[in-house]
Amino acid sequence: MQGKLQQTYKVSRELGNHAYFSGELLLSQMPRLSELIIADDSRIPVTFEFGYNEAQLATLKGGYQADLKVICQRCLEPMVTSINQEFTLLIDATDEDIESCQLDSVYTSEGYLNMVEVIEDELILALPLIMMHEDRNCNSYLQAASESLPVETNNPFAVLQTLKGND
Ligand SMILES: [Zn+2]
């Protein structure tokens, strides 16, 4: 059953149970991510489980599927970017363990892990650096400008002029 997930988990208890969780987190719980996108009240389906890897180190494995609204940097119109990601993280690992496993680690606070922050961090890392529509012609001003310019007098500043004119 898909329920709302807790914000924090007591890691020692969940590890002992090899606990598995599936549910939804709310974007509105993630203020740092919300600053980078067009924030709304969307839900982010998430699964994760606590366990141990082959080196007997505590791990958190999971995945999420987020459709985030962002601004296209070519036409400045809203668009949706879908991020599907799986992750494996160590829990409270030493630098040596991180090095030998080639995995990042999350850290508990007094034995509790804040899953909202973990997923928020993962999403921020997974956000594309430059977000644009797949259609390269999504900016009709730019497209019109490049089409109307004869090739021989193609002046790169003309595009800027056109943009200014339409401002
Ligand atoms: Zn666009």
Side-chain angles (χ1 to χ4, degrees):
M1 184 185 144
Q2 298 252 316
K4 226 175 87 180
L5 298 174
Q6 288 168 235
Q7 175 135 4
T8 55
Y9 291 85
K10 187 173 187 186
V11 169
S12 59
R13 185 175 62 213
E14 308 305 352
L15 278 171
N17 295 337
H18 284 262
Y20 173 87
F21 298 91
S22 174
E24 293 175 329
L25 295 177
L26 300 173
L27 183 56
S28 55
Q29 294 174 291
M30 303 179 180
R32 289 173 296 130
L33 174 64
S34 293
E35 274 183 21
L36 303 174
I37 62 172
I38 305 171
D40 57 18
D41 56 358
S42 60
R43 295 160 178 271
I44 301 169
V46 171
T47 60
F48 53 91
E49 62 182 298
F50 292 86
Y52 293 91
N53 70 1
E54 57 280 3
Q56 294 309 306
L57 297 168
T59 58
L60 176 70
K61 276 191 193 182
Y64 56 84
Q65 206 279 316
D67 294 322
L68 303 176
K69 277 201 208 91
V70 297
I71 294 283
C72 169
Q73 288 169 30
R74 190 187 291 117
C75 66
L76 305 183
E77 294 290 332
M79 58 174 278
V80 173
T81 185
S82 296
I83 304 176
N84 272 293
Q85 203 94 317
E86 299 201 337
F87 60 84
T88 302
L89 297 163
L90 300 171
I91 302 173
D92 290 338
T94 63
D95 289 348
E96 275 177 6
D97 292 336
I98 290 170
E99 181 95 358
S100 67
C101 296
Q102 297 284 301
L103 293 171
D104 285 331
S105 180
V106 289
Y107 294 92
T108 58
S109 172
E110 295 175 6
Y112 287 84
L113 190 62
N114 185 327
M115 274 313 294
V116 174
E117 284 183 2
V118 170
I119 298 296
E120 185 177 21
D121 285 342
E122 288 293 306
L123 277 165
I124 289 171
L125 287 174
L127 265 188
L129 282 180
I130 297 177
M131 292 168 278
M132 288 192 206
H133 286 112
E134 272 179 40
D135 177 3
R136 296 173 60 87
N137 297 322
C138 65
N139 186 327
S140 55
Y141 294 152
L142 279 180
Q143 196 189 2
S146 62
E147 273 172 5
S148 63
L149 287 172
V151 177
E152 59 269 26
T153 60
N154 199 338
N155 173 354
F157 297 107
V159 174
L160 293 175
Q161 293 280 327
T162 311
L163 282 178
K164 265 193 204 156
N166 282 308
D167 210 348

PDB file of all heavy atoms in Angstrom, residues 72-77 79 132-133 135 138-139, ligand 1:
ATOM      1  N   CYS A  72      12.421  26.319 -18.757  1.00  0.00           N
ATOM      2  CA  CYS A  72      13.301  26.058 -19.895  1.00  0.00           C
ATOM      3  C   CYS A  72      14.215  27.264 -20.062  1.00  0.00           C
ATOM      4  O   CYS A  72      13.753  28.402 -20.119  1.00  0.00           O
ATOM      5  CB  CYS A  72      12.491  25.826 -21.156  1.00  0.00           C
ATOM      6  SG  CYS A  72      13.489  25.820 -22.665  1.00  0.00           S
ATOM      7  N   GLN A  73      15.516  27.014 -20.170  1.00  0.00           N
ATOM      8  CA  GLN A  73      16.451  28.135 -20.226  1.00  0.00           C
ATOM      9  C   GLN A  73      16.608  28.676 -21.649  1.00  0.00           C
ATOM     10  O   GLN A  73      17.342  29.624 -21.868  1.00  0.00           O
ATOM     11  CB  GLN A  73      17.791  27.718 -19.613  1.00  0.00           C
ATOM     12  CG  GLN A  73      17.620  27.602 -18.100  1.00  0.00           C
ATOM     13  CD  GLN A  73      18.782  26.954 -17.390  1.00  0.00           C
ATOM     14  OE1 GLN A  73      19.917  27.050 -17.835  1.00  0.00           O
ATOM     15  NE2 GLN A  73      18.493  26.283 -16.299  1.00  0.00           N
ATOM     16  N   ARG A  74      15.900  28.066 -22.589  1.00  0.00           N
ATOM     17  CA  ARG A  74      15.926  28.609 -23.945  1.00  0.00           C
ATOM     18  C   ARG A  74      14.731  29.538 -24.190  1.00  0.00           C
ATOM     19  O   ARG A  74      14.881  30.621 -24.723  1.00  0.00           O
ATOM     20  CB  ARG A  74      15.948  27.469 -24.976  1.00  0.00           C
ATOM     21  CG  ARG A  74      16.225  27.965 -26.398  1.00  0.00           C
ATOM     22  CD  ARG A  74      16.081  26.862 -27.427  1.00  0.00           C
ATOM     23  NE  ARG A  74      17.127  25.870 -27.320  1.00  0.00           N
ATOM     24  CZ  ARG A  74      16.929  24.587 -27.029  1.00  0.00           C
ATOM     25  NH1 ARG A  74      15.725  24.142 -26.791  1.00  0.00           N
ATOM     26  NH2 ARG A  74      17.931  23.745 -26.969  1.00  0.00           N
ATOM     27  N   CYS A  75      13.520  29.087 -23.761  1.00  0.00           N
ATOM     28  CA  CYS A  75      12.325  29.901 -24.050  1.00  0.00           C
ATOM     29  C   CYS A  75      11.704  30.500 -22.785  1.00  0.00           C
ATOM     30  O   CYS A  75      10.750  31.271 -22.879  1.00  0.00           O
ATOM     31  CB  CYS A  75      11.292  29.062 -24.791  1.00  0.00           C
ATOM     32  SG  CYS A  75      10.608  27.719 -23.815  1.00  0.00           S
ATOM     33  N   LEU A  76      12.242  30.133 -21.624  1.00  0.00           N
ATOM     34  CA  LEU A  76      11.755  30.650 -20.335  1.00  0.00           C
ATOM     35  C   LEU A  76      10.308  30.273 -20.031  1.00  0.00           C
ATOM     36  O   LEU A  76       9.645  30.905 -19.217  1.00  0.00           O
ATOM     37  CB  LEU A  76      11.935  32.179 -20.250  1.00  0.00           C
ATOM     38  CG  LEU A  76      13.361  32.678 -20.489  1.00  0.00           C
ATOM     39  CD1 LEU A  76      13.432  34.196 -20.318  1.00  0.00           C
ATOM     40  CD2 LEU A  76      14.349  31.994 -19.568  1.00  0.00           C
ATOM     41  N   GLU A  77       9.809  29.230 -20.715  1.00  0.00           N
ATOM     42  CA  GLU A  77       8.479  28.707 -20.403  1.00  0.00           C
ATOM     43  C   GLU A  77       8.644  27.516 -19.456  1.00  0.00           C
ATOM     44  O   GLU A  77       9.684  26.861 -19.448  1.00  0.00           O
ATOM     45  CB  GLU A  77       7.786  28.225 -21.693  1.00  0.00           C
ATOM     46  CG  GLU A  77       7.455  29.334 -22.677  1.00  0.00           C
ATOM     47  CD  GLU A  77       6.343  30.239 -22.164  1.00  0.00           C
ATOM     48  OE1 GLU A  77       5.500  29.780 -21.386  1.00  0.00           O
ATOM     49  OE2 GLU A  77       6.344  31.423 -22.564  1.00  0.00           O
ATOM     50  N   MET A  79       8.451  23.765 -18.029  1.00  0.00           N
ATOM     51  CA  MET A  79       8.510  22.431 -18.626  1.00  0.00           C
ATOM     52  C   MET A  79       8.662  21.428 -17.484  1.00  0.00           C
ATOM     53  O   MET A  79       8.916  21.805 -16.344  1.00  0.00           O
ATOM     54  CB  MET A  79       9.703  22.316 -19.581  1.00  0.00           C
ATOM     55  CG  MET A  79      11.042  22.601 -18.913  1.00  0.00           C
ATOM     56  SD  MET A  79      12.472  22.289 -19.985  1.00  0.00           S
ATOM     57  CE  MET A  79      12.663  20.517 -19.808  1.00  0.00           C
ATOM     58  N   MET A 132      16.326  22.372 -20.643  1.00  0.00           N
ATOM     59  CA  MET A 132      15.717  22.922 -21.856  1.00  0.00           C
ATOM     60  C   MET A 132      14.785  21.902 -22.463  1.00  0.00           C
ATOM     61  O   MET A 132      14.995  20.699 -22.329  1.00  0.00           O
ATOM     62  CB  MET A 132      16.802  23.237 -22.896  1.00  0.00           C
ATOM     63  CG  MET A 132      17.665  24.418 -22.572  1.00  0.00           C
ATOM     64  SD  MET A 132      18.627  24.846 -24.019  1.00  0.00           S
ATOM     65  CE  MET A 132      20.034  25.629 -23.265  1.00  0.00           C
ATOM     66  N   HIS A 133      13.762  22.406 -23.173  1.00  0.00           N
ATOM     67  CA  HIS A 133      12.890  21.529 -23.949  1.00  0.00           C
ATOM     68  C   HIS A 133      13.736  20.712 -24.922  1.00  0.00           C
ATOM     69  O   HIS A 133      14.762  21.187 -25.418  1.00  0.00           O
ATOM     70  CB  HIS A 133      11.886  22.365 -24.763  1.00  0.00           C
ATOM     71  CG  HIS A 133      10.794  22.966 -23.932  1.00  0.00           C
ATOM     72  ND1 HIS A 133      10.681  24.308 -23.716  1.00  0.00           N
ATOM     73  CD2 HIS A 133       9.754  22.383 -23.285  1.00  0.00           C
ATOM     74  CE1 HIS A 133       9.615  24.542 -22.950  1.00  0.00           C
ATOM     75  NE2 HIS A 133       9.044  23.398 -22.669  1.00  0.00           N
ATOM     76  N   ASP A 135      12.767  20.025 -27.867  1.00  0.00           N
ATOM     77  CA  ASP A 135      12.593  20.729 -29.140  1.00  0.00           C
ATOM     78  C   ASP A 135      13.511  21.946 -29.161  1.00  0.00           C
ATOM     79  O   ASP A 135      13.337  22.893 -28.410  1.00  0.00           O
ATOM     80  CB  ASP A 135      11.125  21.167 -29.271  1.00  0.00           C
ATOM     81  CG  ASP A 135      10.887  21.973 -30.551  1.00  0.00           C
ATOM     82  OD1 ASP A 135      11.841  22.121 -31.344  1.00  0.00           O
ATOM     83  OD2 ASP A 135       9.756  22.431 -30.735  1.00  0.00           O
ATOM     84  N   CYS A 138      12.030  25.586 -29.437  1.00  0.00           N
ATOM     85  CA  CYS A 138      10.960  25.959 -28.520  1.00  0.00           C
ATOM     86  C   CYS A 138      10.863  27.475 -28.346  1.00  0.00           C
ATOM     87  O   CYS A 138       9.830  27.988 -27.966  1.00  0.00           O
ATOM     88  CB  CYS A 138      11.122  25.270 -27.169  1.00  0.00           C
ATOM     89  SG  CYS A 138      12.593  25.766 -26.256  1.00  0.00           S
ATOM     90  N   ASN A 139      11.956  28.176 -28.637  1.00  0.00           N
ATOM     91  CA  ASN A 139      11.889  29.638 -28.533  1.00  0.00           C
ATOM     92  C   ASN A 139      11.571  30.213 -29.900  1.00  0.00           C
ATOM     93  O   ASN A 139      12.421  30.308 -30.778  1.00  0.00           O
ATOM     94  CB  ASN A 139      13.232  30.173 -28.018  1.00  0.00           C
ATOM     95  CG  ASN A 139      13.169  31.667 -27.740  1.00  0.00           C
ATOM     96  OD1 ASN A 139      12.463  32.403 -28.427  1.00  0.00           O
ATOM     97  ND2 ASN A 139      13.900  32.103 -26.735  1.00  0.00           N
TER      98      ASN A 139
HETATM   99 ZN    ZN B   1      11.873  25.826 -24.186  1.00  0.00          ZN
END
